[in-house]
Amino acid sequence: MTIKPVGPGRDHADQNASDHVTTTSSSQPAENLASHPIAMARGRVIFVGTGPGDPDLLTLGAVAAMGEATAVILDRDMLRSVIDHPAVTIPADAEVLSLPTQPSGKMLPPAQRAKQVLKYATAGARVVRLVAGDPFMDSAVADEAAACVRGGIDFEVVPGVSALTAVPEYAGISLANAGGLHFVSATERIVKSQAAQWATQGTLVISTRAGLLADAIEAARASGRPDDDSTLVTYFGGSTEQHTLAASLGDITAAVQSREVDGEIDPEEPVHLMIGPAVEQRDDLSWYETKPLFGWRVLIPRTKDQAGPMTNRLRTYGAHSEEVPTISVEPPRSPQQIDKAIRGLVEGRYEWVAFTSVNAVKAVREKLEDYGLDARALSGLKVAAVGKVTAGALRDWGIEPELVPTGEQSAAGLAAEWPPYDELLDPINRVFLPRADIATETLSAGLAKLGWIVEDVTAYRTVRAAPPPAPTREAIKTGQFDAVVFTSSSTVRNLVGIAGKPHATTVIAVIGPATARTCEEHGLRVDVMASSPGALELADALAAFAAERRDALIAAGDKVLKPSQLRRTSRRR
């Protein structure tokens, strides 16, 4: 690893530049610097479009704006899923809040929304206003932006993918073969006199609110649209909760009234009404709501404060995941041992350092940072990682591991591929092994047999997390989750301990054989196992299982129901 010198030393050019500045300054008459006006940073409001609901539609401009925000203000809490996207990083000191609503549930008028925004912007903040869809096309923020200008604050717009064009595609509508297109945005009220101008031929796309849907349907009929026109209504467009109803224009109102969706739909929720010939192709082009895990509610027991790529991968298959912390990672009770090991690491005591978990990487990294050090402290050391996830955590830190097992990604797999100590090739025979307090001695024993002296150090403690909220525990036990994914034996033991066993209809997916055996020991039937141990491979395996299940149901002529829709009163014993 190449290390750039850090410290007071500077090259000749830097010294000359400094001398030049000093000479120039000393040759000028003394002035009262306080007399010069100092320009303070002005506040700014950036209206950022987030797209119709899928966080993957964020633009690079949106990601960059959020990365520089002082405050992030959302239209509604649902937009917090955008902030949780792995591509988004918001400064740690940035405040994130949602705008309040009126007692009726409606959004505040533009002037009152602007007042909330100006409170931050006038203090010099860089305010990011997150809005659904495109700021000017879908979210009607033009009056709010104008109010900001009247308040003396500049604004800019980062356009987003408009819901008017995106939601039809998420619903499986090809607008290229629509027989002509007419778009209508009617989010405030439906005026029949205006509806008279709506196209009576071709495809009509209306963006409105759930509370105005009935008015929009009647206005379309009153404009001259025939009752036998093919019609779709899409709720929550672009999200993993998307739900589409299909009927003729004359029958769509009855379909809406008898819709089968979980819970009541907020009257303020955006909804899209699509009418015309393009709708007729939906059976062939529906791609989003037919994803293998679409609408599945997946439980991810995980280590507290440690999120991986699994949630994002599951979302690409249509699932919405809920993470339940099962383990809390704490510092060791006595830090002397890890402190001594870190000093030895810096002083060149070790030939290798072996990381058996992401938490071990995090613990060593934080300890080095406490000493004011970074990844360069490991320069000259050979670094090993137990698997791809741990190797990824090292690479995020700027370290490329020399050894990652190509076979079984476990302590035993790492020991099997570890080179034996060779006194001619290895100047030092010691290995630093930071681990959890409850870790097994498999790796330590394996390396000792190869001639290495292993310093096995407790870098962190794992304790069982507090039980999840009562509604989550009830959902687990009663089969309201469609699947649960276990990434280790400890997540199985701890989830059962803090929340109980998953219901018999819940699909159980595991990362490997050891985790499968632990599930079986607890009376859980394993339905899916990853082809190789890894979070992404586990998500892919669950999606493949769901796709095969869907195809089998269709081939048998059965209705495709989610596992949660099949739940019974029986539980695993």
Side-chain angles (χ1 to χ4, degrees):
M1 181 184 298
T2 302
I3 301 177
K4 185 178 180 180
V6 178
R10 293 174 294 178
D11 61 26
H12 186 67
D14 285 342
Q15 185 64 51
N16 286 345
S18 178
D19 290 343
H20 176 71
V21 172
T22 302
T23 302
T24 303
S25 297
S26 62
S27 66
Q28 297 297 322
E31 296 182 15
N32 182 1
L33 296 179
S35 65
H36 292 287
I38 298 176
M40 301 298 292
R42 293 186 61 178
R44 193 168 190 83
V45 179
I46 306 166
F47 291 92
V48 175
T50 63
D54 186 346
D56 281 341
L57 296 186
L58 286 173
T59 64
L60 292 176
V63 172
M66 285 186 276
E68 298 175 347
T70 309
V72 180
I73 302 179
L74 294 67
D75 269 349
R76 58 179 70 87
D77 281 335
M78 283 187 65
L79 290 179
R80 289 184 183 270
S81 63
V82 169
I83 298 173
D84 294 335
H85 193 277
V88 175
T89 301
I90 293 177
D93 57 350
E95 185 171 355
V96 179
L97 66 154
S98 300
L99 286 173
T101 58
Q102 301 181 63
S104 64
K106 291 185 177 181
M107 290 183 63
L108 294 174
Q112 293 186 35
R113 299 201 302 267
K115 184 178 180 180
Q116 297 283 331
V117 173
L118 289 172
K119 181 172 65 174
Y120 290 87
T122 51
R126 188 176 179 87
V127 181
V128 168
R129 263 289 279 122
L130 286 187
V131 299
D134 178 80
F136 283 177
M137 184 171 289
D138 300 304
S139 294
V141 297
D143 290 340
E144 183 181 339
C148 288
V149 174
R150 291 193 296 271
I153 297 297
D154 295 335
F155 77 91
E156 60 186 90
V157 175
V158 177
V161 177
S162 172
L164 268 171
T165 56
V167 171
E169 294 198 27
Y170 275 81
I173 303 300
S174 172
L175 299 180
N177 300 304
L181 281 171
H182 188 74
F183 291 101
V184 175
S185 179
T187 58
E188 298 301 323
R189 56 177 181 155
I190 307 292
V191 180
K192 287 190 176 181
S193 60
Q194 296 175 342
Q197 303 173 17
W198 295 357
T200 58
Q201 296 181 344
T203 298
L204 176 64
V205 178
I206 304 171
S207 174
T208 185
R209 294 184 290 108
L212 296 175
L213 180 58
D215 292 343
I217 294 170
E218 288 307 310
R221 297 177 68 188
S223 71
R225 283 275 172 178
D227 280 351
D228 60 356
D229 258 4
S230 298
T231 305
L232 294 180
V233 172
T234 298
Y235 300 90
F236 311 110
S239 75
T240 55
E241 298 179 32
Q242 178 173 310
H243 181 75
T244 299
L245 301 174
S248 66
L249 180 58
D251 295 333
I252 194 66
T253 299
V256 168
Q257 292 172 348
S258 62
R259 66 181 180 269
E260 296 180 5
V261 294
D262 294 332
E264 292 296 321
I265 294 180
D266 187 338
E268 296 300 305
E269 184 65 35
V271 64
H272 287 75
L273 175 65
M274 293 154 276
I275 308 169
V279 175
E280 298 170 5
Q281 293 181 302
R282 182 175 186 263
D283 289 343
D284 297 325
L285 300 179
S286 179
W287 62 275
Y288 190 63
E289 292 179 43
T290 57
K291 286 187 173 186
L293 294 175
F294 187 81
W296 281 39
R297 186 182 179 188
V298 179
L299 177 68
I300 305 179
R302 63 176 181 88
T303 302
K304 188 177 182 181
D305 299 327
Q306 180 186 331
M310 182 184 294
T311 298
N312 191 49
R313 178 62 68 91
L314 288 170
R315 184 175 51 76
T316 66
Y317 288 116
H320 47 274
S321 306
E322 296 180 33
E323 298 176 350
V324 173
T326 57
I327 298 173
S328 178
V329 177
E330 307 289 346
R333 288 191 175 90
S334 177
Q336 287 83 0
Q337 190 184 27
I338 183 67
D339 287 339
K340 179 182 177 181
I342 292 296
R343 287 195 297 271
L345 184 151
V346 176
E347 293 167 357
R349 178 179 174 83
Y350 306 107
E351 178 76 6
W352 282 88
V353 56
F355 292 100
T356 57
S357 70
V358 172
N359 286 321
V361 176
K362 181 180 178 183
V364 171
R365 182 174 183 174
E366 289 178 349
K367 185 60 69 172
L368 284 170
E369 290 172 350
D370 287 343
Y371 284 102
L373 301 171
D374 56 24
R376 289 174 291 183
L378 274 65
S379 179
L381 277 169
K382 295 177 182 177
V383 180
V386 74
K388 290 186 292 185
V389 176
T390 304
L394 286 167
R395 293 186 182 102
D396 290 342
W397 191 15
I399 297 171
E400 182 63 37
E402 278 84 3
L403 176 60
V404 181
T406 56
E408 180 182 347
Q409 297 191 352
S410 65
L414 183 56
E417 299 186 31
W418 197 286
Y421 171 67
D422 187 326
E423 61 182 7
L424 297 178
L425 299 176
D426 301 309
I428 305 171
N429 64 347
R430 291 184 181 273
V431 178
F432 173 33
L433 177 57
R435 63 175 182 86
D437 57 334
I438 60 172
T440 65
E441 297 181 358
T442 302
L443 181 58
S444 180
L447 298 188
K449 291 179 180 179
L450 295 171
W452 295 95
I453 296 175
V454 180
E455 293 195 7
D456 200 336
V457 177
T458 298
Y460 61 96
R461 294 183 298 120
T462 57
V463 298
R464 182 173 288 177
T472 302
R473 297 198 304 272
E474 182 67 15
I476 292 170
K477 295 176 182 178
T478 59
Q480 296 174 46
F481 283 100
D482 297 288
V484 56
V485 288
F486 289 115
T487 55
S488 68
S489 293
S490 61
T491 57
V492 178
R493 291 189 291 267
N494 286 298
L495 180 70
V496 173
I498 65 176
K501 295 181 182 180
H503 189 271
T505 56
T506 303
V507 173
I508 304 294
V510 300
I511 200 166
T515 307
R517 287 193 294 271
T518 305
C519 284
E520 292 165 355
E521 290 169 3
H522 286 77
L524 300 178
R525 182 195 68 248
V526 175
D527 302 294
V528 185
M529 186 166 69
S531 58
S532 60
L536 298 183
E537 288 81 358
L538 180 53
D540 292 343
L542 179 59
F545 168 85
E548 292 173 2
R549 174 183 179 274
R550 176 200 62 200
D551 294 345
L553 289 171
I554 293 174
D558 296 329
K559 185 176 181 180
V560 179
L561 298 175
K562 297 182 295 184
S564 60
Q565 295 171 311
L566 302 173
R567 63 182 185 264
R568 297 178 293 274
T569 57
S570 62
R571 297 182 181 178
R572 289 182 176 89
R573 298 294 183 184

